[in-house]
């Protein structure tokens, strides 16, 4: 299927937008009128620029407040439309979006609306132009797809059809099921947008919170299936804008957009595939069985700090890379790689590795979804270890379950002591760049098959935070993605973009007793409140308090016991978790406690971070 | 009246918050439980810290999901409350906020709610604690103030009263009028918050969009009047949080908060003043009759650039400061001061001056409202010229209408030519720092008496913008304050924090013809669209296009014709406006055209800004 994107989806001038759309591989664009109005290029120059970039102009949009008005206004509106037809002729675009009127001058009169749209269609026919009529969800009299379809049927003109926008359809209570029965050929255009479910004014919801397919809560494969069932054969076109995308790098946003359409097409039902236009399938996402290792980039100061911490956590330096200044530290199935070859100050999670049941297929899928490949600098004799680059810049290696990559490390001869009972990498916590939070969710879901478990917001000491829990179906790989609701300002003194690795234990009290590194101090007030909130046994609370263990309980009795180390190297820390009774989250209610304690730690130590 | 602030109003740790509240002059605080829970200080240490800072702890809050539950849950809840009473005893606070339950375990049973609250009040009485019951606007069964009052009356216990929060009261449709008839002494606590009117889920509205009194749309003087009429004699306490304040500098936010309470008290009806607690009045805001001058700080590169531009605008260098490297440029009542004494790169509006009918009183009012004073470095013989510092750091001088400050300048001997017909300074356009936009609105309103005309949002090429038009009642002084809806990211390449001065003319075409400096180019597409939108005469549009004049028309036939210069010195520009038929805004619909043109200008010139 052809893939298009409305110019309003990305930031910048028209030049920025077209360049980004072409680079991301789109076939065409919807030209948003305001982008033309502010452009110094004439319509002919825009046409020629699009042709040079290999982009068709699939739609000119929007034309507003046209129909169901008194005759003098109708004549003015028709003149206004004729002027736009002139522009369209120069642009070489044959379809214009006319959205249902929001004007107080319009009346609730389907017959008048249909008659005036028919007159417009007649004018359009002379110019070989098609009118795609769309019900805005907040249209004054016409606000549902079925109402717009009744008007188009009543007008009954070959140059008048429908534009269906998934946001306008799915944000309303009217069922979309009847779309499949629309007369073939009468859906002139299809605009796609996802969105979270929000209880707010629908115009504001639309204006500030649209998302690319797969980033929100709408059933877009189902919706597109209905439209295709009605014989629609135009492009799948994105009409998405929100406060973040409007100011993000357009090149990045366009790739994110393209990824969403590729994944959407892959999710369509086989019954929607036709000979003319077969559905393009992605290699299926193989199951990920676990975290193979996490790599930290360290410098001369943070390296020793992390080594001391790893020893305190009971890790052993078991391997040294054959050719690079890279160390392997292990305890049971927990593996940390310290890489001193990178020359950034401080410490950071530079890469993590997940074990795939079919690493080759995982990588083919990633490539098909426009995931950037990590440049592979493999020395002779080293294991083939391929990686992709996640939206936050972290490299994600995909390894085989047999961990053949370990052969790149020469054994140090030291046997892991496994003294503290850490078993596996439970999850990673990764603060995301502000502009790329929704992109990251779609990336991990579409590329690696991680499911969205929950998104929560909480007030942290230095601003509102959003946290998204994602994991593989079998919970082999879990990630906690976080972002501040607003880009951080100068005041915010907390650790910026913190990252952490959480290890699992079957007995956190025994593990805590065996640790030989400082834990993050937890205030007594926290335990007093905890005891009151959960009506916990005094001895139990005393034990938690003694070891600085935090506690959470879900509604079905699942329990999380977890503790944190202080921040190391200015940005990273470790967590130890014990999950009981199927607890499936990350202890989000305790995040503000952890963040405040890390703030206090920074105020009371010499840590320069 | 005593003034309090909830610790949740400002960002940071409890230490940051208490320090900020005390520095801003608050008498007391509401201690938000989460701030205590994450604090390493024990309750006794918090008590002692507050005492040292001269802050009383007026309320402990909130206690949730207590009432109207089955007996086993009730017993647990009472135990939970007892634990909080223990904490309160250590804190030395005698009032706790209990908000209406949102729990599915609670039932719609006023009798049960009242009985259980009465039992709690009995326990509280033993501890000399008062229970302030508050109806959350989204409470499960109790969500209006009158409902909470019926329950408190039914429970009928001296230690049980009401907490009224202006947000919870005014966000609902129930009239607040009956509040004045509440039994004296039964309103235990008053929490104040303003908010814009928004059509959205009330919990989200409350959580993300509260504002300090005077920054939103609620009638808070009216509301407080009703509460005082009921004999309330506790503090006026702020309970305000939003996404911006949660991450802003707490010291700044606390001053903004204090200013809002001072202005609120000043706005209360005389009938609410009592012998015991007289309403403190501010010096009235004198009328501002106009902009006296605007001062640009310039450096060695931007100075010549601005001088050339001023000459091109028809200005004359008429005066030289007696002691400083400061020039006065004039045309009719338009006055620009170029100050080369400041050593910042580029150009910026460093100050502006407004003429007050009573400059001394204007300054006394500013001082009473905690407006920071500009350090006055007056040389002997110079005019007394006092200034305050606006939230964006700009100095605001208050001058006398006779412009005696001009005597500080020695005449250059050159007579103003007035060749281009510029008459007065029409308005200033000032992009505000992201964290201080609402603060700026309150500042200019309370300190200088500027009224809020309108707030608009529009999609600009590099993000959503919010624009607020404010002006004096007589329109002598107008300001356009703008801010990006999100703090700008790395990508956004537009001019950051642009500032401009707009001059008025009675004939913009004649003025434009007389200008001898480049204008900002306006795309032909803009004029094609303009002609279609407003059905304008072709000759008129041709004239606009010839001179790069933009056009707007309001709903009552008022018209604005305006044009812009390119950006100078990396950040500033000039505008010329002709207002017709009472047009009272700033041509906001044209802002994206102007911003895109400035972006194109920067891409096509050597301007290093």
């Amino acid at each position: 299927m052809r893939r298009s994107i409305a110019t309003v989806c990305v930031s910048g001038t028209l030049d920025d937008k077209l360049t980004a759309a072409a680079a991301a591989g789109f076939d065409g664009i919807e030209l948003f009128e305001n982008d033309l109005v502010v452009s110094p290029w004439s319509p002919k120059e825009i046409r020629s620029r699009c042709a040079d970039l290999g982009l068709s102009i699939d739609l000119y949009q929007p034309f507003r407040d046209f129909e169901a008005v008194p005759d003098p206004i109708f004549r003015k509106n028709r003149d206004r439309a004729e002027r736009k037809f002139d522009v369209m002729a120069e642009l070489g675009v044959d379809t214009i979006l006319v959205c249902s009127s929001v004007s107080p001058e319009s009346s609730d009169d389907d017959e008048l609306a249909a008659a005036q749209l028919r007159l417009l269609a007649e004018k359009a026919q002379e110019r070989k132009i098609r009118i795609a009529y769309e019900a805005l969800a907040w249209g004054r009299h016409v606000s549902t797809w079925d109402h717009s379809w009744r008007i188009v049927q009543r007008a009954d003109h070959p140059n008048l059809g429908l534009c269906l926008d998934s946001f306008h359809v799915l944000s309303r209570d009217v069922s979309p099921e009847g779309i499949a029965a629309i007369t073939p050929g009468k859906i002139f255009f299809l605009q796609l947008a996802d969105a979270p479910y929000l209880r707010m004014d629908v115009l504001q919801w639309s204006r500030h919170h649209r998302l690319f397919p797969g980033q929100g809560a709408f059933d877009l494969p189902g919706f597109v299936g209905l439209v295709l069932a009605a014989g629609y054969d135009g492009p799948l076109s994105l009409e998405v804008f929100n406060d973040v995308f409007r100011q993000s790098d357009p090149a990045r946003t366009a790739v994110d957009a393209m990824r969403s359409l590729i994944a959407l097409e892959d999710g369509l039902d086989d019954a929607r595939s036709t000979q003319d236009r077969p559905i393009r399938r992605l290699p299926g996402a193989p199951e990920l069985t676990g975290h193979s290792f996490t790599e930290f980039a360290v410098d001369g100061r943070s390296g020793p700090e992390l080594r001391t911490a790893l020893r305190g956590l009971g890790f052993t330096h078991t391997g040294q890379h054959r050719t690079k200044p890279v160390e392997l530290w292990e305890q049971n199935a927990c593996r940390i790689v310290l890489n001193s070859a990178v020359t950034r100050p401080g410490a950071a999670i530079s890469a993590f590795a997940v074990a795939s049941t079919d690493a080759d297929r995982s990588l083919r899928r990633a490539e098909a979804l426009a995931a950037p490949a990590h440049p592979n600098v493999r020395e002779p004799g080293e294991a083939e270890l391929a990686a992709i680059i996640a939206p936050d810049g972290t490299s994600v290696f995909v390894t085989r379950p047999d961990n053949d990559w370990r052969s790149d490390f020469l054994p140090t001869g030291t046997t892991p002591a496994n003294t503290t009972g850490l078993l596996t990498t439970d999850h990673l916590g990764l603060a995301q760049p502000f502009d790329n939070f929704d992109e990251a969710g779609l990336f991990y879901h579409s590329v690696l098959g991680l499911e969205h478990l929950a998104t929560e917001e909480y007030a942290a000491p230095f601003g509102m935070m959003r946290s998204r829990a994602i994991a593989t179906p079998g919970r082999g790989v879990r990630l906690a993605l976080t972002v501040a609701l607003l880009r951080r300002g100068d005041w915010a003194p907390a650790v910026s973009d913190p990252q952490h690795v959480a290890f699992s234990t079957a007995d956190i009290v025994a593990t805590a007793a065996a640790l030989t590194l400082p834990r993050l101090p937890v205030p007594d007030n926290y335990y007093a409140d905890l005891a009151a909130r959960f009506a916990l046994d005094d001895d139990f609370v005393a034990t938690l308090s003694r070891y600085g263990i935090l506690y959470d309980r879900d509604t079905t009795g699942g329990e999380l016991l977890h503790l944190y180390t202080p921040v190391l190297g200015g940005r990273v820390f470790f967590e130890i978790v014990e999950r009981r009774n199927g607890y499936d989250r990350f202890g989000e209610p305790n995040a503000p406690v952890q963040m405040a304690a890390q703030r206090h730690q920074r105020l009371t130590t010499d840590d320069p971070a």
Side-chain angles (χ1 to χ4, degrees), chain A:
Chain A
M1 289 168 208
R2 298 188 66 252
R3 293 169 181 148
S4 291
I5 185 167
T7 54
V8 71
C9 295
V10 295
S11 170
T13 62
L14 187 58
D15 191 8
D16 298 319
K17 292 167 184 232
L18 297 180
T19 305
F26 280 94
D27 303 303
I29 58 154
E30 300 175 30
L31 184 58
F32 179 56
E33 181 169 77
N34 297 32
D35 285 318
L36 174 130
V37 165
V38 305
S39 171
W41 291 336
S42 72
K44 280 193 182 122
E45 286 167 332
I46 294 171
R47 176 185 197 159
S48 135
R49 175 72 176 150
C50 286
D52 290 348
L53 290 167
L55 293 168
S56 59
I57 308 179
D58 296 326
L59 186 75
Y60 184 78
Q61 61 107 345
F63 190 77
R64 297 181 191 276
D65 295 335
F66 175 77
E67 78 284 14
V69 289
D71 205 52
I73 298 174
F74 170 68
R75 282 195 301 269
K76 273 191 198 170
N77 288 350
R78 204 184 42 195
D79 291 348
R80 186 159 58 92
E82 293 265 17
R83 304 248 192 164
K84 299 302 171 187
F85 291 169
D86 296 343
V87 173
M88 290 172 68
E90 291 183 62
L91 287 167
V93 52
D94 68 359
T95 308
I96 184 170
L97 172 74
V98 173
C99 46
S100 62
S101 181
V102 299
S103 167
E105 291 164 336
S106 68
S107 56
D108 187 7
D109 182 340
D110 285 6
E111 192 171 329
L112 184 60
Q116 292 181 342
L117 284 166
R118 187 183 166 91
L119 287 169
L120 183 68
E122 286 168 1
K123 285 282 179 194
Q125 191 172 28
E126 295 166 15
R127 314 283 289 260
K128 297 193 168 46
I129 281 172
R130 304 194 308 167
I131 309 292
Y133 183 58
E134 172 186 71
L136 290 180
W138 53 89
R140 194 170 179 91
H141 303 294
V142 179
S143 61
T144 58
W145 75 266
D146 56 331
H147 195 174
S148 62
W149 173 224
R150 288 198 301 275
I151 289 173
V152 166
Q153 286 175 290
R154 189 190 282 245
D156 190 25
H157 190 283
N159 286 57
L160 179 68
L162 286 179
C163 174
L164 295 180
D165 177 312
S166 60
F167 182 87
H168 293 301
V169 174
L170 301 176
S171 64
R172 299 297 308 258
D173 289 333
V174 177
S175 163
E177 293 298 325
I179 287 172
I182 289 175
T183 310
K186 291 304 272 187
I187 303 176
F188 284 2
F189 210 78
L190 173 63
Q191 295 179 314
L192 298 174
D194 203 341
Y197 286 123
L198 295 173
R199 287 171 54 194
M200 66 188 302
D201 176 71
V202 68
L203 190 154
Q204 296 299 323
W205 183 17
S206 170
R207 189 171 287 171
H208 299 290
H209 300 283
R210 287 180 178 227
L211 290 168
F212 292 128
Q215 295 179 339
F218 289 174
D219 174 17
L220 286 177
F223 174 77
V224 173
L226 294 169
V227 174
L228 295 179
Y232 176 74
D233 64 357
L236 301 185
S237 185
L238 293 167
E239 166 89 337
V240 172
F241 31 85
N242 63 46
D243 294 355
V244 176
F245 293 173
R246 282 190 196 274
Q247 53 85 63
S248 305
D249 179 345
R252 286 285 293 265
T253 309
V255 172
D256 186 22
M258 175 55 79
R259 186 174 299 132
S260 78
L261 277 188
I262 295 169
L264 175 64
E265 183 170 342
D266 182 57
L268 293 175
D269 198 278
D270 274 331
R272 300 283 77 83
S273 202
T274 64
Q275 189 109 32
D276 288 352
R277 202 174 49 180
I279 290 172
R280 284 171 283 187
R281 297 290 174 199
L282 291 169
E287 200 191 330
L288 304 182
T289 55
H291 291 267
S292 310
F293 65 84
T294 307
E295 176 186 287
F296 287 85
V298 292
D299 64 4
R301 180 175 169 143
S302 65
E305 204 180 340
L306 259 80
R307 280 183 204 98
T308 303
L310 287 171
R311 273 185 218 105
L313 286 164
F315 277 72
T316 304
H317 179 191
T318 55
Q320 191 69 30
H321 195 276
R322 292 171 183 276
T323 59
K324 299 169 192 161
V326 174
E327 303 165 14
L328 174 63
W329 291 68
E330 294 185 273
Q331 175 173 191
N332 293 315
C334 310
R335 293 177 206 98
I336 295 290
V337 165
L338 297 185
N339 185 342
S340 306
V342 189
T343 54
R344 276 185 301 200
I349 294 180
S350 46
F352 65 93
V354 293
S356 169
T357 49
D358 185 341
D360 289 342
R361 181 148 55 91
S362 289
L363 292 164
R364 286 202 311 277
R365 181 179 174 92
E367 187 181 359
L369 282 158
H374 179 84
N376 199 346
V377 277
R378 189 159 61 103
E379 304 289 328
E382 288 182 16
E384 196 172 343
L385 193 53
I388 51 180
I389 300 176
D392 66 354
T394 306
S395 300
V396 183
F397 288 91
V398 181
T399 65
R400 298 189 195 138
D402 65 2
N403 282 315
D404 61 338
W405 59 271
R406 296 181 74 244
S407 63
D408 288 352
F409 290 87
L410 298 171
T412 59
T414 316
T415 311
N418 301 341
T419 47
T420 66
L422 301 183
L423 302 173
T424 62
T425 298
D426 181 87
H427 69 272
L428 305 183
L430 300 170
Q432 297 298 298
F434 182 84
D435 282 357
N436 308 113
F437 185 73
D438 290 305
E439 178 188 349
L442 176 63
F443 178 91
Y444 287 115
H445 176 67
S446 62
V447 173
L448 294 178
L450 274 68
E451 296 174 349
H452 176 250
L453 303 186
T455 298
E456 292 191 49
E457 288 179 8
Y458 49 84
F462 306 103
M464 291 294 294
M465 300 291 298
R466 184 174 291 156
S467 174
R468 180 163 297 168
I470 58 176
T472 52
R475 301 295 183 268
V477 173
R478 299 175 192 256
L479 299 178
L481 307 179
T482 57
V483 73
L485 277 200
L486 289 178
R487 198 187 300 278
R488 309 306 293 269
D490 294 337
W491 147 249
V495 177
S496 94
D497 298 336
Q499 302 176 318
H500 80 275
V501 184
F503 304 110
S504 65
T505 173
D507 182 348
I508 196 167
V509 174
T511 294
L515 296 178
T516 57
L517 87 169
R519 268 146 266 168
L520 194 66
V522 178
D524 290 342
N525 299 331
Y526 169 78
Y527 293 105
D529 177 65
L530 195 67
R533 271 197 292 145
F534 290 114
L536 297 174
D537 182 80
D538 283 350
D539 286 350
F540 181 64
V541 174
T543 301
L544 297 180
S545 173
R546 185 176 322 128
Y547 295 109
I549 297 170
L550 299 154
Y551 178 85
D552 189 33
R553 191 163 70 204
D554 65 25
T555 51
T556 58
E559 294 178 301
L560 181 74
L561 286 77
H562 58 145
L563 65 80
Y564 294 95
T565 70
V567 174
L568 306 163
R571 182 177 178 197
V572 301
F573 57 97
F574 295 102
E575 182 184 3
I576 296 171
V577 306
E578 179 188 342
R579 296 176 183 272
R580 297 182 178 174
N581 302 323
Y583 183 97
D584 200 26
R585 301 284 287 285
F586 299 120
E588 290 87 344
N590 295 325
V593 182
Q594 162 233 323
M595 293 171 77
Q598 287 173 344
R599 160 77 168 154
H600 286 294
Q601 172 211 346
R602 294 186 57 225
L603 291 175
T604 53
T605 67
D606 290 332
D607 188 338

